[in-house]
Amino acid sequence: MHIGSHLSVAGGYRQLCADALRIGADTFQFFTRNPRGGSGRVPSDEELAELGAFLREHEFAPAVAHAPYTLNPCAAAENTLRFAREVMRSDLELLDRFPVERIYYNFHPGSHVGQGVERGIELIAETLDLVMDRDLKPVVLLETMSGKGSEVGSRFEELAEIISRSKYGDLLGVCLDTCHVFCAGYDIVNEPEAVLKEFDRVVGLDRLKAIHLNDSMMPFESHKDRHAKLDEGEIGFEALARFVSLEPVRDLPIELETPNELDGYAAEIARMRASGASR
Ligand code: FE
Ligand code: FE
Ligand code: ZN
């Protein structure tokens, strides 16, 4: 099992690595810039080389870089859309400099803000066509969403449609968020195998590259998005542990986005690893 959490890069990558070790992680997620989308801190080549050496030495699974969640890659307003595209392109160029074999770039497909899901999908595919490039290293992941407001990507069909419309579809992957799919109406508590089978039928399990492991404060099919600590939500620890033990999931990088400080993450990681060991 490769498990870690979202970690802050505010203190630099050396601090992030120390935090990752302290919580017992062997993967991590970080924001490419502050979540509001402000200008990112540009690391030096030296700092990145040190990060690369650390990740190899400690045999980390690939890291997940998360795009600012305030971006809207299918915005109706032209300046909002342009901003999302500029940020995504510059993030991909930054991540391309990371001296690692593989790194993921996860983003929220966006909200169609009344334009309709069809138009949203069209704009997201267009965004990907504008920001991606065959020779950029990061593997771009669409995150499964809960479907709050006019969010696109809460149905597997919507993700599949974005993938099939983009000219870079063959390069795209998906990051499955357990809180989001549960709130979107996929029953990972009672029928996790059926959910993965449905994902395989619609998107293809070969596209599944990473997991966001969260419990949910909100009930099944609520189309809300409030993460809970593992075991303090509607999904429960047992169901989450079972889900990540399933064959198509268990070797993927698993990132906690639970409302925790480092000690809380450490406890959740230890407990999840112990449950995995007993299977
Ligand atoms: Fe996210
Ligand atoms: Fe997430
Ligand atoms: Zn969320």
Side-chain angles (χ1 to χ4, degrees):
M1 173 180 287
H2 301 293
I3 183 168
S5 74
H6 190 91
L7 292 173
S8 170
V9 79
Y13 288 99
R14 188 180 289 177
Q15 182 61 50
L16 183 150
C17 292
D19 291 345
L21 281 188
R22 178 175 149 199
I23 64 174
D26 64 346
T27 177
F28 57 83
Q29 174 173 272
F30 62 103
F31 282 129
T32 50
R33 56 190 73 218
N34 84 48
R36 303 247 146 240
S39 59
R41 195 178 133 279
V42 178
S44 67
D45 287 340
E46 196 182 7
E47 192 177 4
L48 289 180
E50 199 181 311
L51 173 67
F54 170 89
L55 297 174
R56 274 186 297 281
E57 182 190 342
H58 295 278
E59 298 181 335
F60 268 46
V64 179
H66 196 308
Y69 52 73
T70 48
L71 297 187
N72 190 357
C74 59
E78 206 182 313
N79 57 343
T80 313
L81 188 58
R82 190 184 327 114
F83 179 70
R85 289 169 173 175
E86 282 168 7
V87 169
M88 289 175 76
R89 176 67 194 189
S90 103
D91 280 353
L92 288 171
E93 286 173 359
L94 164 68
L95 297 169
D96 188 54
R97 292 177 48 223
F98 279 50
V100 293
E101 253 179 58
R102 176 171 280 239
I103 188 157
Y104 294 119
Y105 182 56
N106 173 75
F107 77 105
H108 293 181
S111 297
H112 67 67
V113 289
Q115 302 175 95
V117 95
E118 271 304 303
R119 178 64 181 150
I121 287 169
E122 196 174 274
L123 283 172
I124 296 158
E126 193 180 294
T127 294
L128 292 168
D129 288 355
L130 288 168
V131 304
M132 288 175 73
D133 237 317
R134 291 218 165 255
D135 50 15
L136 284 173
K137 180 188 323 190
V139 176
V140 178
L141 308 183
L142 298 134
E143 181 167 353
T144 61
M145 303 310 292
S146 67
K148 71 172 184 299
S150 64
E151 264 175 5
V152 180
S154 64
R155 304 296 311 164
F156 297 159
E157 285 80 0
E158 295 170 5
L159 299 174
E161 189 63 25
I162 295 165
I163 290 168
S164 82
R165 295 245 194 132
S166 166
K167 67 179 176 194
Y168 298 117
D170 58 310
L171 303 179
L172 291 165
V174 172
C175 173
L176 185 151
D177 186 309
T178 54
C179 166
H180 297 176
V181 293
F182 178 75
C183 291
Y186 292 101
D187 192 354
I188 56 170
V189 175
N190 297 301
E191 43 185 32
E193 286 98 344
V195 171
L196 288 173
K197 206 170 159 197
E198 176 69 0
F199 185 94
D200 192 33
R201 186 183 70 78
V202 177
V203 180
L205 279 169
D206 55 326
R207 301 270 187 191
L208 186 59
K209 303 297 185 193
I211 302 292
H212 284 167
L213 188 62
N214 304 305
D215 209 329
S216 172
M217 277 162 66
M218 297 299 180
F220 180 67
E221 226 173 349
S222 58
H223 301 290
K224 294 271 167 50
D225 182 2
R226 301 274 306 279
H227 300 187
K229 294 180 186 181
L230 307 188
D231 221 10
E232 290 187 10
E234 302 279 323
I235 304 174
F237 184 88
E238 279 316 308
L240 290 167
R242 177 155 175 257
F243 186 74
V244 298
S245 76
L246 295 175
E247 209 274 316
V249 175
R250 66 176 168 225
D251 293 324
L252 302 177
I254 297 167
E255 316 292 354
L256 297 164
E257 299 176 312
T258 47
N260 274 307
E261 302 295 327
L262 291 180
D263 289 345
Y265 284 138
E268 289 188 344
I269 288 168
R271 192 173 167 205
M272 201 43 81
R273 284 198 197 281
S275 85
S278 65
R279 261 156 236 275

